[in-house]
Amino acid sequence: MILHELIAYETLRLVWWLLLGVLLIGFAVTDGFDLGTNMLLPFAGRNDLERRVIINSVGPVWEGNQVWLILGGGAIFAAWPQLYAVSFSGFYLAMFAVLVPLILRPVAIKFRSKHEDAGWRARWDWTLFVTGLVPSLIFGVAMGNVLQGVPFRLAPDMHIFYEGSFFGLLNPFALLCGLVSLAMLVMHGSAWLQLKAEGAVAQRARSYGSAAALLTLVLYALAGLVLWFWIDGYRVTGALPTGGPSNPLLKTAAHQPGAWFANYASQAWLWAVPGMGLAGALLAFLAMRMRRAGIALLASALGIAGIILSVGVSMFPFILPSSFDPRASLTVWDSSSSHLTLFVMLVVTAIFIPLIVAYTSWVYKVLWGKVDADAIRDERGHAY
């Protein structure tokens, strides 16, 4: 037997679907508090020193946190090439709108304190605000469009035709999902600032974070109700071999009201996943009010994980449904790389992901503790 055949093709596909979820959650939980603190910068910091405290809370770690985004993009490219092709062509302008702020963020962090001029620093502060706001909003908008279906079709030779437009992505439900993302990441950034800052900065972060946690709770519940009553889901109407070839056109699929809740109806225990999203936001709110910063950060991370996982659980086995031609929708079982590719990538992942987690954990351990405002004022430690 060939080595890669020791693990069934359908098992590898399921494992890589789970890994994709892990990488998305890893990015949202780590780089999420970077984006959240950027959005809070002009509000939680009222003077130059306070804003430098906020920037220095994420300055040593944001680059490592962004590795999860790179890993996620690489996983999609290697394990789900059709998903990569459709999303990177259909969402090209949206991704460009995300990448520009992510490129500007390190520029703003590095250059902000190069001059003493108040106007210079204020412009970079608002630049950092935008670099947090825009990606956070667009990530949520993208998720809302995926739940509604993306207007693409596949030719018999698998050539992709995207039939939508950038402004078509900005529909009411997608914008609602964008607001969920904004509130969720502001909550997470606030919890991080309460853990890393002291005094007035931590107090303001607590106030903003409490409001954001309640908004996350309300907006996420509202999005769920809208999805249930007004947004059609998708279902496979014919046979779908789990170990078959990667050709989405071999199946039949159709729109169906309430289809995104079919998995919960068949497996009641799955309701624990959206429940985790709601419970995490509620616990984060309570922990912030009780001034338990560590618990608030863990709770907000739990809420983020539950919210992201609930999308995957609702859509399974769909990864990217097509609103233009449901038959072309990409699923876990018909849009992956080959059996051998998935196996080799799994071996590589099993080696390097633990190394990345171990190194990241070590970095956080070394850099743990409150940001010292006096050290920043005295320019000790090369502070930003």
Side-chain angles (χ1 to χ4, degrees):
M1 177 182 293
I2 301 175
L3 186 60
H4 71 272
E5 293 181 351
L6 293 173
I7 304 178
Y9 196 10
E10 55 266 35
T11 301
L12 285 171
R13 283 170 160 168
L14 184 59
V15 167
W16 272 101
W17 175 77
L18 292 170
L19 282 173
L20 180 59
V22 168
L23 293 173
L24 290 176
I25 292 170
F27 171 68
V29 168
T30 55
D31 204 46
F33 65 70
D34 299 337
L35 298 173
T37 54
N38 285 355
M39 287 187 279
L40 288 166
L41 180 64
F43 310 105
R46 301 290 173 81
N47 57 50
D48 184 66
L49 180 60
E50 289 179 349
R51 292 180 179 181
R52 290 185 70 189
V53 167
I54 294 172
I55 294 171
N56 277 273
S57 73
V58 298
V61 298
W62 72 265
E63 290 173 292
N65 293 340
Q66 202 160 290
V67 167
W68 292 97
L69 177 62
I70 298 169
L71 289 173
I76 294 174
F77 175 77
W80 310 100
Q82 291 173 316
L83 173 62
Y84 182 90
V86 174
S87 58
F88 276 67
S89 57
F91 294 164
Y92 180 81
L93 290 178
M95 290 185 178
F96 186 78
V98 168
L99 288 176
V100 170
L102 292 181
I103 293 169
L104 282 175
R105 176 170 62 176
V107 177
I109 291 174
K110 299 292 184 182
F111 280 88
R112 180 204 180 270
S113 297
K114 295 296 183 182
H115 293 295
E116 297 288 342
D117 180 66
W120 167 274
R121 294 188 174 187
R123 286 190 289 274
W124 285 120
D125 289 341
W126 284 105
T127 299
L128 281 170
F129 168 77
V130 171
T131 65
L133 176 72
V134 173
S136 301
L137 178 65
I138 292 180
F139 287 141
V141 167
M143 198 67 74
N145 278 282
V146 169
L147 283 165
Q148 294 175 93
V150 177
F152 72 92
R153 60 186 175 88
L154 297 176
D157 62 355
M158 295 295 104
H159 190 79
I160 299 163
F161 295 91
Y162 182 74
E163 305 292 344
S165 65
F166 172 76
F167 292 103
L169 300 175
L170 304 178
N171 55 76
F173 179 72
L175 290 173
L176 174 59
C177 292
L179 292 177
V180 173
S181 178
L182 283 176
M184 176 179 77
L185 296 183
V186 169
M187 169 185 70
H188 200 45
S190 299
W192 175 258
L193 279 182
Q194 290 170 63
L195 190 68
K196 297 291 289 184
E198 296 179 311
V201 172
Q203 179 58 45
R204 294 188 199 108
R206 186 175 299 112
S207 299
Y208 288 120
S210 299
L214 290 180
L215 271 175
T216 301
L217 194 68
V218 171
L219 291 172
Y220 178 53
L222 177 61
L225 291 174
V226 172
L227 186 66
W228 193 329
F229 290 106
W230 286 286
I231 305 297
D232 288 347
Y234 295 79
R235 68 182 182 91
V236 177
T237 56
L240 181 60
T242 57
S246 291
N247 185 346
L249 297 179
L250 296 179
K251 69 176 181 303
T252 56
H255 299 277
Q256 184 179 39
W260 288 153
F261 292 87
N263 289 334
Y264 299 107
S266 61
Q267 301 288 335
W269 65 271
L270 290 175
W271 282 107
V273 176
M276 184 168 67
L278 295 169
L282 178 59
L283 182 58
F285 169 77
L286 295 174
M288 289 181 193
R289 303 315 301 170
M290 296 170 63
R291 300 175 183 271
R292 303 298 296 271
I295 294 176
L297 184 64
L298 291 174
S300 65
L302 180 71
I304 289 172
I307 290 170
I308 294 175
L309 280 173
S310 66
V311 176
V313 168
S314 298
M315 292 177 56
F316 186 85
F318 288 90
I319 298 178
L320 189 65
S322 169
S323 59
F324 188 87
D325 179 13
R327 186 173 65 112
S329 299
L330 309 181
T331 74
V332 173
W333 311 122
D334 62 14
S335 59
S336 72
S337 294
S338 69
H339 193 170
L340 178 60
T341 299
L342 294 183
F343 177 80
V344 172
M345 288 295 298
L346 183 61
V347 173
V348 173
T349 301
I351 295 171
F352 285 100
I353 289 293
L355 293 176
I356 293 170
V357 171
Y359 175 74
T360 302
S361 301
W362 176 77
V363 168
Y364 275 88
K365 181 177 183 296
V366 170
L367 298 172
W368 200 248
K370 300 284 188 180
V371 176
D372 189 342
D374 291 333
I376 294 174
R377 183 185 294 110
D378 299 337
E379 301 293 347
R380 298 197 306 268
H382 305 286
Y384 292 107

